[in-house]
Amino acid sequence: MQDLDSDLLRTFLAVAGTGSITEGARRIGRSQSATSLQIMRLEEVLGRAVFARTGRGVALTDAGQRLMPVARDVTGRLDVALRDITSDGLRGKLRLGIPDDHGRAKLAQILGAFAQSHPQVELEVTCSLSTEFPALLSRGQLDLAVHEVETPGPREEVIHGDPTCWVTSSFQDLAAADPVPVALFDRACWWRDAAIAALESRSKPYRIVFSSQSVAGVTAAVEAGIAVGLLGRSSLTHHMRVLGAGQGFPEMPVSRLVVATAAHADETLAGTMTAAIRAAFRD
């Protein structure tokens, strides 16, 4: 009799959750072929198919529907047992601020992993405009915060650097427009200050035609051909074209993502979270 391996169940849940072998493989960090082999092995153990192939991916069969609650229960119990056995005894409360745009998905994964590894730590997470974080840290309302700066200050550790550049739509030549239409962040931040300083240094007319609180908003304006904008290279898409000295746009500074620690923060809790964030961005 063959065993129903928990690893096979996790693969099954990943594929079922995404409705795709390819996306399921990406979620669990395996190749598509290895994931397909695991699903085949699971179906061999059960003696019946758990997925039906469709034009858009895969769908659960009747057997797959019956297996779903069992797989969730088994893997959930194993995760709880692992957390209980391997818990390092870290306790307390950590108030963390994370930005509402840059790296949000990655930071959410880090928080999930941290909560699983340290289940007795209470996390209070604030997701908002990162320009508010320095004041919240100094007022004792946050212990730790992740935000972007041009020049790191005291108690700020750089975890990621992202060069910034001027970009325009691949389908619209706005660099030669007079005046040049520009999309900027509508809040006081070094990104906006650096952009305006660069535009003023060109000694050519420009006008702000679009303002947004987020990277997503500026990105949308650029892709739509409404304006040129200043973005980090990690945010560029194939619908954009970089503008440089040849088009009269100066080289721009590097944006640095930092973890800032409040003076009052618990050193052990803050240090453990900082290490987790640092490792994730390094990987």
Side-chain angles (χ1 to χ4, degrees), residues 134-283:
L136 294 176
L137 287 165
S138 64
R139 292 201 300 262
Q141 294 175 266
L142 286 178
D143 302 310
L144 207 67
V146 180
H147 63 109
E148 290 178 278
V149 299
E150 181 180 6
T151 305
R155 304 186 69 84
E156 292 181 344
E157 177 184 337
V158 178
I159 55 172
H160 180 67
D162 192 15
T164 63
C165 55
W166 288 100
V167 291
T168 186
S169 166
S170 299
F171 314 106
Q172 288 274 57
D173 184 12
L174 297 177
D178 187 14
V180 175
V182 180
L184 295 178
F185 293 112
D186 65 358
R187 61 183 186 269
C189 65
W190 79 263
W191 280 73
R192 183 182 178 89
D193 294 342
I196 291 177
L199 292 167
E200 294 289 345
S201 72
R202 298 177 73 236
S203 299
K204 293 183 179 180
Y206 70 91
R207 61 190 179 97
I208 300 172
V209 298
F210 185 91
S211 295
S212 174
Q213 291 187 345
S214 69
V215 171
V218 175
T219 297
V222 172
E223 288 188 329
I226 296 172
V228 303
L230 180 65
L231 290 170
R233 287 194 175 271
S234 64
S235 300
L236 304 192
T237 71
H238 63 279
H239 297 301
M240 298 177 185
R241 179 167 54 88
V242 175
L243 300 171
Q247 295 80 34
F249 286 85
E251 184 176 348
M252 298 302 291
V254 173
S255 172
R256 293 172 173 84
L257 193 67
V258 301
V259 178
T261 307
H264 63 266
D266 181 291
E267 291 186 6
T268 301
L269 288 177
T272 304
M273 175 61 82
T274 298
I277 296 173
R278 182 194 307 125
F281 274 88
R282 183 173 62 242
D283 293 341

